[in-house]
Amino acid sequence: RKEVEQDPGPFNVPEGATVAFNCTYSNSASQSFFWYRQDCRKEPKLLMSVYSSGNEDGRFTAQLNRASQYISLLIRDSKLSDSATYLCVVSSGNTPLVFGKGTRLSVIA
Amino acid sequence: EPEVTQTPSHQVTQMGQEVILRCVPISNHLYFYWYRQILGQKVEFLVSFYNNEISEKSEIFDDQFSVERPDGSNFTLKIRSTKLEDSAMYFCASSDLPGPEQYFGPGTRLTVT
């Protein structure tokens, strides 16, 4: 049973495009939700936390639907530098982070 | 900006050998973690450590693994007798509070031949 599921991609989009990633999680007790970004052979870096009310950080918007156990990330006006793997991460309070396998994004000039 | 550091960046070892991976967490952090990522796979939790003892460990973290905070700055992961399947990227992370706001180091790539 996969705890956090993501479409692996790759998503190949032109610069300036809007792209959306989705993620589902199986543990209904999950309390904290995040999107991390991972560049090739590098460490995961926190992109943003995800709140029930939805939150926005510049070109990035994250949404959480607790009833459906579904998280999304929207990237507007894609840049070449957005090319990376985006990891959906959940946690049940003080328990360890549970990572999805990631969705690979390639932004093309 | 303070960061987590890890050494070495790449370690090659023969099957059956012991390896020690080193981490220096952010200085005022109290909670420490090890994760691993096999090439092409997801990041997986190994162990968390607080107040000089293991607070949680996964089923991956068997008797071949151990962690230690030998002094005030280092946090180490030891694999006693490496297997081929231990080949992976090992990430150390730390946080100032328990929970999900964890900061990751750049990782050590372990290759077991």
Side-chain angles (χ1 to χ4, degrees), chain B residues 34-102:
Chain B
W34 283 101
Y35 292 83
R36 81 168 185 194
Q37 186 176 31
I38 295 170
L39 187 64
Q41 302 298 313
K42 64 180 180 178
V43 176
E44 298 173 292
F45 168 74
L46 293 178
V47 65
S48 58
F49 191 85
Y50 169 69
N51 200 25
N52 281 320
E53 59 183 32
I54 290 173
S55 42
E56 192 164 351
K57 60 183 181 179
S58 72
E59 58 193 27
I60 302 169
F61 194 88
D62 61 22
D63 292 343
Q64 292 298 313
F65 291 88
S66 62
V67 289
E68 195 178 31
R69 186 147 164 86
D71 53 46
S73 59
N74 288 285
F75 178 51
T76 62
L77 174 70
K78 183 194 288 186
I79 309 175
R80 266 181 266 285
S81 177
T82 50
K83 308 186 199 60
L84 293 175
E85 55 265 36
D86 293 328
S87 295
M89 195 77 160
Y90 288 80
F91 294 109
C92 173
S94 70
S95 62
D96 55 352
L97 296 169
E101 295 280 345
Q102 298 173 19

Side-chain angles (χ1 to χ4, degrees), chain A residues 7-70:
Chain A
D7 181 343
F11 284 60
N12 299 313
V13 303
E15 269 186 294
T18 295
V19 62
F21 307 134
N22 304 318
C23 160
T24 57
Y25 59 94
S26 60
N27 185 356
S28 58
S30 298
Q31 295 176 19
S32 303
F33 309 91
F34 306 89
W35 284 103
Y36 275 71
R37 171 194 168 124
Q38 186 174 31
D39 292 291
C40 190
R41 294 176 182 256
K42 300 284 189 182
E43 73 273 26
K45 290 190 177 175
L46 180 63
L47 181 66
M48 60 196 302
S49 302
V50 188
Y51 305 114
S52 295
S53 53
N55 48 302
E56 190 173 308
D57 183 2
R59 298 181 293 108
F60 298 84
T61 301
Q63 295 277 354
L64 166 65
N65 183 321
R66 282 187 188 269
S68 303
Q69 296 183 197
Y70 170 98

Side-chain angles (χ1 to χ4, degrees), chain B residues 6-15 17-22 77-79 82-84 86-90 107-113:
Chain B
Q6 290 185 242
T7 53
S9 56
H10 190 190
Q11 173 94 45
V12 181
T13 190
Q14 287 189 323
M15 201 166 51
Q17 294 297 304
E18 174 183 286
V19 293
I20 298 176
L21 310 183
R22 290 183 166 79
L77 174 70
K78 183 194 288 186
I79 309 175
T82 50
K83 308 186 199 60
L84 293 175
D86 293 328
S87 295
M89 195 77 160
Y90 288 80
T108 293
R109 178 166 300 282
L110 177 66
T111 302
V112 183
T113 61

